Amino acid sequence: MEEKLSGIVLGGISFSENDKILNVFTLEKGVISAKIKGVKKAGAKLKFASEPFCFAEFIFSNKGNMRTVIGASLIDSFYPVREDIIKYFCAGTVLEFIKKFYKESIVSTETFLLTVKTLEKIAYGEYNPKSALISFLVTALNLAGYALDESGRCVCKKPIVGKVFFDYRRGAFFCQNCFDGVGREINYSTYDALQKASAGELVDSANGVDNALKLLEYYLQNKAEEKLNSLTELIKICG
Ligand SMILES: [Zn+2]
């Protein structure tokens, strides 16, 4: 039986001398694994389809429980992510997030489209790829059930000015008047960068962006109990 699915390669592991087992996030079936044959040989026709970030329309043959890639037509390779280390780790964080939060066969059209849009922004976007990553993480965390309130308001419904407090357990931000002692104070620029980046607005503070990524890493580790190695690397590079 043949099956045609649109998907993005998340990664792969070697399997026998020339083959690989790929992890592919598909629009129609969620994350699937599939064998791809002969791709480690020089000049292999389907080599491109075994590389991480490859977005293609795949044709699989489906026998028993195992899919094998028998054809692929490239939609986008997001090539610029391979030429810039910041873009590379931003895009890598996106793929790692999907691997960690979407176990096999969980279908989410919204997350799939968000992933494509984010990889486009990181690869070809005009402004800071880290802002695109912040926006992705906030939205994707919400979709995965770890809502982070990025409304720009405190629980009292007023915009926060002055001191900002954050509690990862509730995923919420508080003003000085509402803060109940559970959580910690964060820099206003961190909070501001998080709001602006999630809204797709330009963020002028580079420091704010880096600190917003640190806050998201902290939130991922403490609330969702997941560590994304690419995000840790990215934060390390940015000092
Ligand atoms: Zn308040």
Side-chain angles (χ1 to χ4, degrees):
M1 198 180 78
E2 280 188 15
E3 193 180 30
K4 202 185 266 187
L5 305 173
S6 300
I8 298 165
V9 176
L10 300 177
I13 50 162
S14 288
F15 176 78
S16 76
E17 204 179 330
N18 290 308
D19 309 343
K20 271 181 169 181
I21 303 271
L22 298 183
N23 247 310
V24 187
F25 182 35
T26 70
L27 171 66
E28 301 88 349
K29 298 272 164 87
V31 175
I32 58 157
S33 37
K35 207 186 276 180
I36 185 161
K37 288 180 181 164
V39 286
K40 284 167 18 197
K41 286 185 206 151
K45 205 178 99 216
L46 284 175
K47 193 174 176 59
F48 76 93
S50 70
E51 303 289 341
F53 308 113
C54 169
F55 176 27
E57 190 171 72
F58 289 89
I59 303 168
F60 300 97
S61 83
N62 207 339
K63 277 185 204 130
N65 278 331
M66 197 59 197
R67 288 180 173 93
T68 303
V69 180
I70 53 170
S73 54
L74 184 69
I75 300 170
D76 202 333
S77 66
F78 305 107
Y79 192 78
V81 306
R82 290 171 177 77
E83 296 178 309
D84 176 304
I85 191 142
I86 301 289
K87 287 183 177 184
Y88 181 78
F89 282 116
C90 285
T93 302
V94 172
L95 298 194
E96 220 179 309
F97 182 95
I98 301 298
K99 272 192 249 176
K100 293 267 164 76
F101 286 87
Y102 289 86
K103 303 300 171 200
E104 294 244 327
S105 308
I106 299 173
V107 179
S108 171
T109 308
E110 235 176 323
T111 308
F112 186 85
L113 299 177
L114 174 70
T115 303
V116 171
K117 209 175 85 186
T118 305
L119 291 176
E120 277 171 358
K121 276 196 217 158
I122 291 170
Y124 311 112
E126 303 267 297
Y127 69 98
N128 199 337
K130 289 185 265 182
S131 291
L133 177 61
I134 291 170
S135 172
F136 169 84
L137 288 173
V138 170
T139 312
L141 277 163
N142 285 349
L143 290 169
Y146 297 96
L148 183 69
D149 182 10
E150 27 67 84
S151 61
R153 286 168 186 272
C154 172
V155 286
C156 63
K157 305 286 176 215
K158 289 186 193 132
I160 301 178
V161 285
K163 288 189 170 189
V164 189
F165 300 85
F166 176 63
D167 175 22
Y168 75 82
R169 297 163 198 87
R170 290 170 281 184
F173 298 90
F174 303 90
C175 73
Q176 198 166 358
N177 296 330
C178 298
F179 182 57
D180 56 6
V182 183
R184 58 172 193 172
E185 187 178 353
I186 60 166
N187 280 333
Y188 191 84
S189 67
T190 307
Y191 172 72
D192 190 53
L194 195 69
Q195 307 307 321
K196 284 187 176 148
S198 351
E201 288 168 29
L202 206 65
V203 187
D204 37 27
S205 157
N207 243 339
V209 168
D210 289 346
N211 287 331
L213 284 173
K214 284 181 195 160
L215 182 131
L216 286 164
E217 187 192 39
Y218 172 84
Y219 185 67
L220 276 156
Q221 285 183 14
N222 289 286
K223 175 87 174 193
E225 293 178 343
E226 289 289 4
K227 185 172 156 61
L228 306 180
N229 295 322
S230 308
L231 181 57
T232 307
E233 283 304 312
L234 177 65
I235 289 168
K236 229 187 268 172
I237 294 169
C238 301

